[in-house]
């Protein structure tokens, strides 16, 4: 069975959709953590852990982008 090869543009579009989800998820978690921190609905430690979790997701996002950029650059 032959596998279909994707063009560079198709690969880029798929990568863009996946990485966009990481960006929105990280931002959403950080926004929720900031909201709970400002409103005081939960403990400060729990709010800060949401902020930290969102930052970790955004760091993963950054690493994925840099790794893909290095592959394309060569």
């Amino acid at each position: 069975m032959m596998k279909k090869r994707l063009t560079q543009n198709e690969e880029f579009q798929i990568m863009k959709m996946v990485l966009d989800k990481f960006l929105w998820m990280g931002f959403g978690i950080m926004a929720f953590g900031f909201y709970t921190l400002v409103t005081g609905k939960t403990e400060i430690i729990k709010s800060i852990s949401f902020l930290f979790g969102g930052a970790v997701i955004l760091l993963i996002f950054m690493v994925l982008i840099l790794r893909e950029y290095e592959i394309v650059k060569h």
Side-chain angles (χ1 to χ4, degrees):
M1 180 189 273
M2 296 281 296
K3 290 186 178 181
K4 184 182 176 195
R5 302 287 300 181
L6 298 175
T7 65
Q8 273 190 328
N9 188 37
E10 290 171 334
E11 285 182 15
F12 176 74
Q13 295 299 326
I14 291 171
M15 183 189 74
K16 191 170 67 171
M17 287 189 312
V18 170
L19 293 179
D20 187 50
K21 301 302 183 267
F22 271 103
L23 180 64
W24 279 109
M25 189 169 54
F27 176 74
I29 291 171
M30 287 184 78
F32 178 72
F34 185 71
Y35 170 75
T36 57
L37 186 66
V38 170
T39 59
K41 292 187 177 190
T42 61
E43 299 172 0
I44 292 175
I45 299 297
K46 192 172 184 180
S47 298
I48 291 174
S49 67
F50 276 112
L51 288 170
F52 181 73
V56 168
I57 290 175
L58 290 177
L59 285 173
I60 292 170
F61 172 73
M62 183 183 69
V63 168
L64 288 172
I65 286 178
L66 290 176
R67 185 182 308 159
E68 187 64 29
Y69 173 72
E70 288 177 6
I71 291 171
V72 171
K73 187 172 70 171
H74 290 123

